[in-house]
Amino acid sequence: MSALVARLPGGLSGRATLVPLAVLVLLGLMVVPLPAVLLDIFFIASIAVALTVLMVAVNIRQPLDFSAFPTVLLYATLLRLALNVASTRVVLVHGHEGTAAAGHVIEAFGSFLVGGDFIVGIFVFAVLMIINLVVITKGAGRVSEVAARFTLDALPGKQMAIDADLNAGQITADEARARRLEVTTEADFHGAMDGASKFVKGDAIAGVLILAINIIGGLILGTVSHDMAIGDAARTYLLLAVGDGLVAQVPALLLSIAAAMVVTRVGKSEDLAGQVGSQIGRAAPWLPVGLILALIGLLPGMPLLVVAPAVGLALWLARRRPAETTTTAEADSAPANDSGRIDWADVADTAPAALEIGFGLVPLVEDVRGAPLMARITAVRRQLSKNLGFVLPQVRVRDDLALSPFQYRITLAGVVVGEDEVFPDDLLAIAAGPLATTVPGRDAHDPAFGLPARWIDPADADLAEAAGYTVVDPAAVIGTHLNELLQAHAHRLLGQDEVQALLDTLADAAPALAAALTPKLLPASVVTQVLARLLEEGISIRDMRSIAGALVAVAPKSQDPVELGELIRPALGGALVQALAGVKGPLAAVAIDPGLEHLLVQAVRANPGAAHPFDPALVTRVAEAVAAATTGLLAGPRKFAIVTVPPVRRALWQLLHARLSGVPVLAFSDIPETRDVEVLAVIGAPANNEGAA
């Protein structure tokens, strides 16, 4: 057989050909007359299939564990209906030959199970039909219909919850895809079960009609075609009809029970036996059950031999079950408390950015309150991704009992970069400058910019705004702080995966440029370092086409990321100056005294390639000169840049960026020739020349 399957067109496996073969067999049962022996085999197979489906339904943990059930139910129903067609043919054609004419299975059901009395058989069949059609099938169909409706109604909400978890960094992209697939499969499953329940109901109705056809057709054929007496015809054909009906109804009843078990299944942690055992087997109900049974046993005429063991079993369960429950709980908790077991999940954390919160801030991420913090984080990531030019990695939000209740902490690659306290039931009133009016509240500071602020009651928000405060909610406070830190450390969040995604996007828009850049001229690792240096100085990499074009032009000159970063800056100069001076305005600049600049150039040439080439004395002199020249400018509203010669630009930025956060250091070559420059001050000049031009 395996050799035959291997020679099938396309190399189809046996499993792939099983379903079409099963369909052909079903058609054959309906069309081809079967001998009684084959009919017996198929009847036993039908019962075995129903039992197998029932056992699988009992042992699943959740309905999706048996997602093929609607299709299996369809095939099992078709098998039983095909057997009804085949058995009806045999009963009507050969029924006059005796009760064994339709096979031993039908004869056994008609003779042994109902005692050979077809009147009893009809009533037994009627009872089974009522149980199956009115009770089990109707109930399972209703549950399927409601479950399908509720699942479809909840589908958008579940999808939004998955997106929120993904944006918050609580799950990975692969986990999000798996959860979306599970949600979609669940909706499809309950929709299919709603339709499959109609198969079961139709099968039960068909059983009644087939029984009536067998009885009426048998009586007519027996008396007219085979000259049987009416009593003999009734005895023979009714017994065969009832046996045939019972043979069909037993597997139908089993499948109906299986369907009801699947659609009424709740929970995922245990199978049905474990769930029922853990919930019904609790100690509390069994003591009153035993006492009530004991009282019932005292009634006159009650069978004490039956009641007494039931009372004893109930009391025994009431005494023993707590110990078993404790033992089970201890056994379940043992692996969690096993200090010798270490998993990879215990030591690996794939989220580069994380927000840890105290338990008092958990309401800010709960769906009940709309999860304002999660929405804020999503908005921060979206806006920063647009500004910086690459998709920021997920920010994982998790609670940490080691923190104080209202404390939060922001970490990058496990390193704490910021922390503070917020109060979820208050608002933060931030003072932009000296204010005459003070609103009631607790003194604090804005964690993002360090401005003086006060935590106030929401009822005083209007008063604070009237006094000139800027009032923000706790989620906005954390979101703003996170925004500033992610922007300041964006270069640490850019990895080769993100750069490869940028290159793939560039390849879609400019395939020749992308192919010329990497890996032909520069490896992706070097491109990553160059882009990270741009981000470190607050330069967006959104214009990847210009950056790639500049790298292609300068790559033959150097492979050093530091030198490459300096060489491509003139190509980005227009965007750099525009961010400071607008579209047409002059660039406000702070120059360096030629004498001091000459000392800086000599220091860089004496220590080529050093990140900090200046000696301590020169560093002190430069710091004092910068402080003297820029003190007044920093307090003003106008943006400005420090301008110097190209050889010292990067080293000077390394020296000043911690002291002058947000003030760029430009080389003269970075400024387009079409741009005017207005010198506001000169660093290191002998006299105060602030405002010089």
Side-chain angles (χ1 to χ4, degrees):
M1 181 65 184
S2 59
L4 176 61
V5 171
R7 290 195 299 268
L8 290 174
L12 294 175
S13 65
R15 183 177 298 178
T17 60
L18 182 60
V19 174
L21 183 61
V23 174
L24 293 177
V25 170
L26 293 179
L27 293 176
L29 291 176
M30 294 181 182
V31 177
V32 180
L34 294 180
V37 175
L38 285 181
L39 204 58
D40 288 342
I41 293 174
F42 280 112
F43 274 129
I44 297 298
S46 176
I47 296 174
V49 169
L51 284 172
T52 302
V53 172
L54 179 62
M55 292 300 103
V56 173
V58 168
N59 288 283
I60 62 174
R61 294 179 180 269
Q62 57 176 327
L64 288 184
D65 289 344
F66 198 5
S67 58
F69 181 73
T71 305
V72 172
L73 184 62
L74 169 63
Y75 277 102
T77 303
L78 290 177
L79 173 61
R80 200 164 52 256
L81 293 175
L83 288 176
N84 283 138
V85 174
S87 61
T88 298
R89 183 188 299 109
V90 174
V91 168
L92 295 180
V93 173
H94 301 287
H96 64 283
E97 299 174 4
T99 55
H104 295 293
V105 175
I106 292 179
E107 184 182 21
F109 272 81
S111 301
F112 178 73
L113 294 184
V114 298
D117 191 336
F118 60 86
I119 301 298
V120 175
I122 291 177
F123 285 114
V124 171
F125 180 83
V127 170
L128 288 177
M129 286 297 303
I130 292 172
I131 294 173
N132 190 11
L133 183 60
V134 178
V135 180
I136 300 176
T137 303
K138 186 176 181 180
R142 179 58 178 165
V143 173
S144 298
E145 180 182 353
V146 173
R149 186 187 308 129
F150 284 2
T151 302
L152 291 175
D153 290 344
L155 186 60
K158 292 181 179 180
Q159 296 281 13
M160 291 175 64
I162 294 171
D163 293 338
D165 289 345
L166 176 62
N167 293 331
Q170 295 180 338
I171 58 175
T172 63
D174 292 338
E175 291 172 337
R177 279 192 292 269
R179 284 177 55 178
R180 290 192 189 100
L181 179 61
E182 181 180 358
V183 169
T184 305
T185 305
E186 183 182 11
D188 294 341
F189 172 79
H190 286 293
M193 281 301 302
D194 185 25
S197 62
K198 305 300 187 295
F199 296 146
V200 179
K201 182 178 180 180
D203 178 41
I205 297 174
V208 177
L209 299 178
I210 291 172
L211 176 67
I213 291 172
N214 284 338
I215 293 175
I216 297 173
L219 291 177
I220 294 175
L221 289 174
T223 55
V224 176
S225 300
H226 303 294
D227 298 327
M228 297 175 66
I230 186 66
D232 294 337
R235 187 178 302 106
T236 301
Y237 283 99
L238 264 67
L239 196 63
L240 289 173
V242 170
D244 182 29
L246 291 175
V247 170
Q249 283 309 305
V250 167
L253 183 62
L254 295 177
L255 288 176
S256 299
I257 295 173
M261 285 183 174
V262 170
V263 297
T264 56
R265 190 76 174 89
V266 177
K268 299 181 179 181
S269 59
E270 298 177 296
D271 57 18
L272 184 61
Q275 190 177 41
V276 172
S278 62
Q279 296 177 7
I280 295 183
R282 294 169 182 167
W286 287 104
L287 182 59
V289 168
L291 295 177
I292 293 172
L293 287 177
L295 292 176
I296 293 176
L298 296 177
L299 296 177
M302 276 292 171
L304 293 178
L305 292 178
V306 177
V307 176
V311 174
L313 177 63
L315 295 177
W316 176 76
L317 288 172
R319 292 182 56 191
R320 184 180 179 185
R321 183 58 65 175
E324 291 181 351
T325 303
T326 303
T327 304
T328 303
E330 292 174 354
D332 290 342
S333 63
N337 298 328
D338 183 8
S339 59
R341 180 178 179 180
I342 302 177
D343 199 291
W344 282 107
D346 298 330
V347 297
D349 189 357
T350 57
L355 173 63
E356 301 170 356
I357 59 176
F359 68 87
L361 302 181
V362 170
L364 294 178
V365 298
E366 289 181 336
D367 293 335
V368 177
R369 297 182 57 171
L373 182 56
M374 308 306 294
R376 180 71 62 174
I377 292 174
T378 301
V380 166
R381 287 186 62 234
R382 181 178 292 111
Q383 188 59 43
L384 275 181
S385 297
K386 291 180 180 179
N387 294 341
L388 297 176
F390 73 100
V391 178
L392 286 176
Q394 302 165 354
V395 178
R396 178 166 295 170
V397 180
R398 55 193 173 197
D399 60 323
D400 189 348
L401 295 179
L403 300 177
S404 61
F406 304 116
Q407 184 182 7
Y408 70 89
R409 177 180 295 157
I410 301 170
T411 63
L412 295 179
V415 178
V416 178
V417 295
E419 60 182 358
D420 214 298
E421 251 187 345
V422 297
F423 301 93
D425 296 325
D426 294 339
L427 298 175
L428 185 66
I430 304 172
L435 300 173
T437 305
T438 301
V439 295
R442 300 183 301 277
D443 287 333
H445 65 278
D446 171 37
F449 305 105
L451 298 174
R454 296 180 66 82
W455 284 105
I456 64 173
D457 189 277
D460 297 328
D462 293 338
L463 176 63
E465 291 179 349
Y469 288 89
T470 300
V471 180
V472 294
D473 60 84
V477 173
I478 299 176
T480 304
H481 195 188
L482 178 67
N483 178 82
E484 293 302 310
L485 292 175
L486 291 180
Q487 187 167 8
H489 297 275
H491 60 286
R492 296 171 56 185
L493 299 174
L494 182 74
Q496 290 201 28
D497 291 331
E498 287 76 19
V499 171
Q500 188 59 54
L502 286 173
L503 294 174
D504 292 341
T505 304
L506 178 65
D508 294 336
L513 178 60
L517 175 61
T518 181
K520 185 177 180 181
L521 289 178
L522 295 173
S525 59
V526 173
V527 177
T528 302
Q529 295 180 61
V530 173
L531 297 180
R533 288 183 175 276
L534 295 177
L535 289 171
E536 188 178 12
E537 296 193 36
I539 301 173
S540 173
I541 58 174
R542 183 167 48 188
D543 187 8
M544 192 61 192
R545 183 191 288 266
S546 297
I547 295 174
L551 283 174
V552 169
V554 301
K557 301 178 183 178
S558 174
Q559 296 285 306
D560 179 30
V562 177
E563 190 172 354
L564 287 172
E566 295 302 308
L567 290 174
I568 67 171
R569 289 180 62 90
L572 309 176
L576 299 179
V577 174
Q578 182 174 310
L580 294 170
V583 178
K584 297 181 179 179
L587 172 65
V590 174
I592 301 177
D593 180 73
L596 179 59
E597 195 169 51
H598 179 69
L599 293 177
L600 297 177
V601 172
Q602 286 183 329
V604 171
R605 289 176 178 174
N607 301 280
H612 303 284
F614 310 127
D615 59 68
L618 185 57
V619 169
T620 302
R621 179 180 174 183
V622 171
E624 293 174 352
V626 168
T630 61
T631 299
L633 299 176
L634 291 174
R638 192 172 183 184
K639 294 181 180 180
F640 66 93
I642 296 175
V643 182
T644 184
V645 292
V648 302
R649 193 212 65 82
R650 176 69 185 184
L652 186 61
W653 178 85
Q654 292 276 22
L655 173 63
L656 298 179
H657 80 279
R659 297 175 175 85
L660 299 175
S661 177
V663 177
V665 178
L666 302 181
F668 291 116
S669 58
D670 297 341
I671 304 173
E673 296 180 357
T674 57
R675 278 286 189 172
D676 294 331
V677 177
E678 180 183 354
V679 179
L680 302 180
V682 178
I683 298 173
N688 181 17
N689 44 52
E690 183 178 335

